[in-house]
Amino acid sequence: MLRRLSFLVAAGLAAATLTSTTAGAAPAAPAGTRPPTVQCEFTPTPENPAAKPVTIPPATAVAKGTVDVFFATNYGSFVVRMDRANAPCGVSSFVHLTNSRFYDKTQCFRLTNSARLGVLQCGDIYRQEEGGPGYKFPDEVTGKETYPRGTVAMGNQGPGTNGSEFFVVHSFANIPPNYTVLGRVIHGMATFDRMVKAGIADPDLDGPPVRPIRILKVLAFD
């Protein structure tokens, strides 16, 4: 595991300096078998067009296995292991947006550190909750979700409004189980500690960070 993480971080750091990347391929299945799949409902939102050029993801998503996603930020790097079985449509959409470079050179506009909520919210291209991918899709929740430190989940503006917005829990999140869990941070939580330490430009500790948080590059490794 440590060797794989070291390779992943090193590969991601090297790739983050490039101007182009090769999209990760889907995991190969044994000969004669196919991984389980589900059908996803990605609905165009012409009233909220895509903030960056991106197509609608394929309707069929793999529902088994994991994807490691590397993030390079101006505070350091981190790696998220996403679970296709738990949120096949959410993970498929995230990988699709990653391979379309949707998240590259974007800014995270919301950082919280209150008694109820400690998260970093990203994925909005223009400003907080504005600038999505031009489509939405339903939640993948059971009603039993919890959000401990390191959880990565989809953000939304109500049921069935998932798009590109996501959040990372840097401490805890006492919130209802309404948010699709994509996976967990498996490397780099110290990056979020540095972000929180730099401060939040709001007396309620819920708003823009004092020093802008920028996502430089995101890479998906199946």
Side-chain angles (χ1 to χ4, degrees):
M1 173 63 74
L2 289 177
R3 181 177 297 177
R4 185 171 187 272
L5 277 177
S6 297
F7 172 78
L8 181 62
V9 172
L13 286 171
T17 64
L18 302 178
T19 57
S20 63
T21 63
T22 301
T33 66
R34 293 182 179 180
T37 60
V38 299
Q39 292 300 113
C40 302
E41 184 181 355
F42 296 113
T43 305
T45 55
E47 70 280 9
N48 292 307
K52 283 186 173 184
V54 65
T55 59
I56 302 294
T60 302
V62 175
K64 182 180 180 180
T66 60
V67 182
D68 287 348
V69 182
F70 170 88
F71 295 76
T73 82
N74 57 325
Y75 280 82
S77 63
F78 62 96
V79 178
V80 176
R81 179 154 293 160
M82 296 192 175
D83 184 356
R84 291 187 185 273
N86 187 67
C89 298
V91 174
S92 178
S93 173
F94 201 99
V95 171
H96 175 76
L97 292 175
T98 294
N99 290 339
S100 300
R101 302 173 188 158
F102 188 84
Y103 294 117
D104 291 0
K105 299 180 181 179
T106 61
Q107 190 168 326
C108 300
F109 294 101
R110 184 188 184 196
L111 181 64
T112 76
N113 193 29
S114 68
R116 183 184 72 91
L117 188 65
V119 304
L120 173 69
Q121 180 178 311
C122 307
D124 310 305
I125 303 303
Y126 300 138
R127 57 191 65 83
Q128 183 179 326
E129 298 187 351
E130 291 188 30
Y135 63 85
K136 62 182 180 180
F137 59 96
D139 305 313
E140 295 169 283
V141 296
T142 65
K144 298 181 179 180
E145 284 75 14
T146 58
Y147 307 91
R149 175 174 163 89
T151 300
V152 181
M154 294 300 303
N156 62 50
Q157 288 82 57
T161 60
N162 300 287
S164 56
E165 181 185 311
F166 67 97
F167 63 88
V168 182
V169 182
H170 62 72
S171 57
F172 51 82
N174 296 324
I175 54 178
N178 298 334
Y179 305 91
T180 299
V181 176
L182 298 172
R184 294 185 57 81
V185 176
I186 60 171
H187 175 82
M189 283 305 300
T191 296
F192 299 96
D193 296 336
R194 287 190 288 273
M195 293 174 182
V196 174
K197 186 176 181 179
I200 302 170
D202 185 282
D204 295 325
L205 299 180
D206 184 342
V210 170
R211 178 188 171 204
I213 296 172
R214 296 188 174 90
I215 295 176
L216 308 176
K217 176 71 69 176
V218 186
L219 300 168
F221 294 84
D222 284 354

